[in-house]
Amino acid sequence: MTHLLATLSTGRAFLIGIAVGIGVLVLIGALGVGLRRSREAPKLDIPGAMRPGPSDADLEKPVLEKLIGWALVFTVFMALWVPVFNWLPETQNNLNDTKASLAESVLRGHETTLPGTQQNPLGFNCQRCHGQNLHGGFNVYNGTLVPVPNLQTVCGGAKYNHPLIKSLQDIIQTISEGRTGTDMPSWSVRFAGAMDDQQINDLVNYILSIQKVPTKDNVCLKA
Ligand code: HEC
């Protein structure tokens, strides 16, 4: 027997297990039906709808009370269910939803900064100029090699080499409009770009998520 079991593959053993389980269930079912049959007194075969209804006395007391009892049970059940499973967790659910959609926005923003490929249709390749993870880079502009700002410190403003950034609004503005006279192009359809507001929003959420500046220097957090 041990030898036989040892030669069985796990898949086979699993199937045999299921077959035995089903067999046992069928057996228990058959026994149950058989037992009930033998105990029940023989009954006239009158359809339910043609049998006489309960008497007035029954309708007024036990039947009525039974219905009211069930009504009470279901009312209490609903009265507890709605607040406990819907109302009380609502704030937490909203918070989780907000966090989840922010995380998705950050992810889309990140993909937007990567090169556009078949696998990444969202890509607009910010990193070509701003470097990997927007850590700063170089670009050839009008024949000269120009440095391109590190966006991981962009919320630091002037103190971190971003003299034109005084608030989050300036970042949104720069991405949307571009910077005339530099190689930073316009990205928003509101100006000369191709991105809608959600794409810009995703980029901004991503840039906020990669900031390396301490909170006290972070101009993006100020109102
Ligand atoms: C062709 C090169 C190039 C590409 C592509 C590019 N940028 Fe820029 N970007 C620049 C340059 C150069 C500057 C600095 C302009 C200046 O001198 O004021 C800049 C500035 C910025 C600034 C302001 C930084 C500061 O210090 O003031 C932000 C924000 C920014 N870019 C975001 C983006 C985003 C987001 C993308 C992708 C959608 C992107 N850039 C794509 C070249 C580029």
Side-chain angles (χ1 to χ4, degrees):
M1 186 66 186
T2 32
H3 179 71
L4 180 75
L5 277 180
T7 55
L8 280 178
S9 71
T10 356
R12 281 245 179 104
F14 187 65
L15 286 179
I16 293 178
I18 289 183
V20 171
I22 292 176
V24 169
L25 283 182
V26 169
L27 205 66
I28 291 177
L31 278 175
V33 171
L35 283 179
R36 223 178 311 131
R37 283 249 173 87
S38 60
R39 248 190 279 120
E40 268 171 19
K43 253 195 206 149
L44 288 179
D45 193 14
I46 303 175
M50 298 179 78
R51 285 184 212 146
S55 66
D56 276 0
D58 276 354
L59 279 176
E60 276 159 25
K61 194 80 173 138
V63 175
L64 183 67
E65 278 170 358
K66 194 178 83 183
L67 291 178
I68 292 177
W70 280 115
L72 181 71
V73 168
F74 285 123
T75 308
V76 170
F77 175 74
M78 285 300 288
L80 293 175
W81 177 275
V82 172
V84 170
F85 292 103
N86 297 284
W87 188 73
L88 287 179
E90 191 58 13
T91 41
Q92 189 61 42
N93 288 344
N94 285 347
L95 185 67
N96 294 346
D97 286 350
T98 309
K99 280 186 186 155
S101 51
L102 181 62
E104 282 172 12
S105 170
V106 166
L107 189 68
R108 285 194 303 268
H110 178 53
E111 289 178 347
T112 311
T113 67
L114 302 176
T117 61
Q118 219 167 359
Q119 285 76 37
N120 181 29
L122 294 180
F124 276 85
N125 209 357
C126 312
Q127 71 166 33
R128 173 167 83 83
C129 297
H130 285 278
Q132 197 132 43
N133 296 322
L134 311 186
H135 192 265
F138 288 92
N139 184 37
V140 180
Y141 183 56
N142 290 343
T144 41
L145 196 66
V146 293
V148 183
N150 171 4
L151 296 184
Q152 296 188 357
T153 58
V154 71
C155 283
K159 204 170 160 185
Y160 290 78
N161 264 336
H162 307 280
L164 295 176
I165 304 296
K166 296 189 174 58
S167 69
L168 179 60
Q169 196 51 44
D170 292 333
I171 297 177
I172 301 172
Q173 187 84 4
T174 306
I175 300 174
S176 306
E177 263 190 71
R179 286 233 175 104
T180 329
T182 77
D183 41 344
M184 172 64 183
S186 158
W187 295 103
S188 170
V189 287
R190 294 173 187 275
F191 298 91
M195 293 190 199
D196 58 30
D197 286 354
Q198 189 183 2
Q199 287 169 294
I200 305 278
N201 205 19
D202 291 343
L203 276 170
V204 172
N205 283 334
Y206 170 61
I207 290 176
L208 287 176
S209 79
I210 57 169
Q211 290 311 298
K212 294 273 174 349
V213 291
T215 314
K216 68 173 171 49
D217 293 334
N218 193 324
V219 299
C220 299
L221 299 178
K222 294 189 186 123

